[in-house]
Amino acid sequence: MKILLTGGAGYIGTHTAIELLNAGYDIVVADNFSNSQPESMKRAKQITGRDFNVYEMDIRDKAKLEVLFEQEKPEAVIHFAGLKAVGESVEKPLDYYENNLDATFVLMRVMEEYGCKKIVFSSSATVYGEQDTMPLVETMKCSACSNPYGWTKYMIEQILRDYAKVHEDWSVVLLRYFNPVGAHESGMVGENPNGIPNNLMPRVTQAALGKIKMLGVMGNDYPTPDGTCLRDYIHVVDLAKGHVCAIRYAQDNNGCDVFNLGTGVGYSVLDIINTFEKVNGIKVPHEIVARRPGDLPMAYSNPAKAEKILHWKAEKTLADMCRDSWNWQQKNPNGY
């Protein structure tokens, strides 16, 4: 079975490509490299010893996407492509709505045209917005996203749900990620943000390396045990394996279903810093700064549904996440 990974050269896409190849699937990648590097694809090939085609393109270009489908004939799609920074989405909402929704519309039209009826969508826990209770479960009503990025994920989920209702021979799997961190244990691929990182772990590793003089902990007055934001951090390799399980599920089941991919455990920003320092034996210079717009006090998952139906469960610990993140950063101080 051949699977198209849109945005497959990104952080999660690259790790998923490796796990799919190791599981025996064939893949093809489409990426415009706006927030990724071609080098990640070369390294994925080195790690797995397998080859695959990579198309440098924006999937909003329908003509180019049709050429890809004509040549490669993918039987399923994992849809990663999209702008993804929460803070940036608050500053540039139109860019996010235009890019993320248009990419999905074009992709679905071309999938329709070529009879490709299986899609796994890279969604996010941000669709839950701010809920009154924890942990977050898939049955919760999602209608209060705190930022435009989250709203694009929510809207795309709804588009795919509506489509699946009237196309009963389609299989749609919506995966709500929590907070992916870590890197492949080889240290050859990992998170490689453009410019100043938006996510916590790359800021931690760059502060430890000295590339960032001081890590800003964004707020310590949240209603959490230590006052800093609390999140469900998941190792990116565990997350990638969740996509393999989702593809297996899509092969045998039609309709639309949604799954949390998380550990079910919440860790604060200070938990991350303290564990990182302990595991790696290095200090992370940090200070408390103002809250970041759009951040929620806490979010962690109930991943029981994914374990029961997808037969998937996160296996790696917070110590693994911190160790593998530092291994990647040390071996690649300037990224790819």
Side-chain angles (χ1 to χ4, degrees), residues 242-289:
H243 291 76
V244 178
C245 294
I247 283 292
R248 287 174 179 153
Y249 177 79
Q251 287 180 262
D252 299 325
N253 297 273
N254 292 341
C256 181
D257 213 340
V258 58
F259 301 94
N260 287 336
L261 293 187
T263 64
V265 179
Y267 294 104
S268 73
V269 176
L270 293 180
D271 286 333
I272 295 290
I273 293 170
N274 293 336
T275 302
F276 187 93
E277 290 182 335
K278 181 179 179 181
V279 167
N280 297 309
I282 189 168
K283 288 293 182 182
V284 178
H286 60 279
E287 62 181 352
I288 306 300
V289 298

Side-chain angles (χ1 to χ4, degrees), residues 18-39:
I18 291 167
E19 296 305 322
L20 286 167
L21 291 166
N22 285 340
Y25 289 96
D26 295 321
I27 68 168
V28 56
V29 170
D31 203 300
N32 65 2
F33 300 113
S34 64
N35 193 33
S36 58
Q37 298 291 329
E39 178 64 23

Side-chain angles (χ1 to χ4, degrees), residues 32-245:
N32 65 2
F33 300 113
S34 64
N35 193 33
S36 58
Q37 298 291 329
E39 178 64 23
S40 70
M41 298 288 86
K42 295 177 184 177
R43 296 190 185 186
K45 294 175 183 181
Q46 290 172 2
I47 289 168
T48 61
R50 296 190 59 194
D51 197 15
F52 55 90
N53 290 331
V54 180
Y55 290 72
E56 183 173 356
M57 58 175 288
D58 190 318
I59 65 166
R60 292 177 295 173
D61 188 326
K62 188 169 184 283
K64 288 184 178 180
L65 191 58
E66 287 172 334
V67 169
L68 184 154
F69 269 78
E70 185 69 36
Q71 294 179 345
E72 301 289 342
K73 297 178 172 53
E75 300 166 73
V77 175
I78 302 181
H79 184 27
F80 295 108
L83 300 176
K84 62 175 187 175
V86 169
E88 185 183 58
S89 79
V90 175
E91 298 168 2
K92 301 176 179 179
L94 190 59
D95 288 354
Y96 272 68
Y97 288 117
E98 182 179 49
N99 184 89
N100 294 2
L101 294 176
D102 284 356
T104 304
F105 293 144
V106 173
L107 175 63
M108 293 296 290
R109 290 296 188 192
V110 176
M111 289 179 68
E112 254 186 346
E113 185 180 342
Y114 285 88
C116 180
K117 301 178 180 181
K118 302 182 187 302
I119 183 169
V120 175
F121 174 55
S122 167
S123 191
S124 167
T126 56
V127 301
Y128 288 110
E130 189 166 6
Q131 301 281 351
D132 294 330
T133 58
M134 290 289 155
L136 299 169
V137 295
E138 294 89 345
T139 52
M140 285 178 166
K141 184 178 180 181
C142 302
S143 60
C145 299
S146 62
N147 55 74
Y149 164 75
W151 278 117
T152 67
K153 294 296 188 182
Y154 173 86
M155 291 174 181
I156 293 168
E157 279 197 10
Q158 190 60 48
I159 290 163
L160 293 172
R161 287 178 192 276
D162 290 342
Y163 189 89
K165 284 179 185 177
V166 293
H167 295 83
E168 295 180 354
D169 57 342
W170 275 61
S171 179
V172 174
V173 182
L174 311 173
L175 298 181
R176 292 176 179 166
Y177 307 163
F178 280 72
N179 290 66
V181 296
H184 192 268
E185 62 181 8
S186 66
M188 290 178 66
V189 298
E191 191 165 7
N192 185 49
N194 288 337
I196 299 173
N198 290 299
N199 296 332
L200 176 61
M201 191 62 83
R203 290 190 286 122
V204 169
T205 60
Q206 290 192 17
L209 195 66
K211 292 189 72 173
I212 296 175
K213 290 184 179 180
M214 188 70 65
L215 169 66
V217 176
M218 298 175 183
N220 67 341
D221 57 349
Y222 287 98
T224 60
D226 63 18
T228 64
C229 286
L230 186 147
R231 294 289 184 270
D232 186 337
Y233 294 93
I234 176 173
H235 198 294
V236 67
V237 172
D238 278 334
L239 184 63
K241 290 178 179 178
H243 291 76
V244 178
C245 294

